[in-house]
Amino acid sequence: GETFDQQMAFYLPGKETLVSAFNFDNKKKFDLPLRRADLGLGSGEYIINDFLTGKPIGKIAKGQDSFSFNVPAADAIMVKLVPANQ
């Protein structure tokens, strides 16, 4: 719509899982909670890489069941979750 308040996320599972989150709201941040099981991730450690630069921006610890991303107002994120042993 034309209200500029939509917040949405997508993921593509695979050997390296891709996650994207879009925040079209001009005032509120978008808190995106995720669960390892919902994304089909194994129990090992994962490195969170920025999709465009390939640089690491975080990690998911071994056994950590949930994690989250915070998307600022009027912004988006795209990341790749890569198994640390790769």
Side-chain angles (χ1 to χ4, degrees):
E2 296 182 19
T3 59
F4 298 106
D5 63 353
Q6 294 180 354
Q7 297 175 323
M8 62 186 82
F10 303 95
Y11 72 95
L12 179 63
K15 186 175 179 183
E16 296 180 344
T17 299
L18 304 177
V19 178
S20 59
F22 301 90
N23 186 6
F24 296 102
D25 193 303
N26 289 319
K27 296 178 181 158
K28 293 187 276 183
K29 69 178 183 172
F30 177 22
D31 295 319
L32 176 63
L34 296 168
R35 290 175 10 117
R36 183 187 286 266
D38 293 340
L39 298 178
L41 300 177
S43 61
E45 182 178 52
Y46 284 80
I47 305 300
I48 303 170
N49 289 335
D50 180 275
F51 181 76
L52 297 176
T53 66
K55 294 182 180 180
I57 59 170
K59 71 176 183 174
I60 304 166
K62 182 177 181 176
Q64 181 181 344
D65 293 330
S66 61
F67 54 98
S68 64
F69 293 106
N70 298 306
V71 184
D75 204 354
I77 62 163
M78 295 187 300
V79 298
K80 187 185 298 188
L81 309 178
V82 181
N85 61 359
Q86 183 171 311

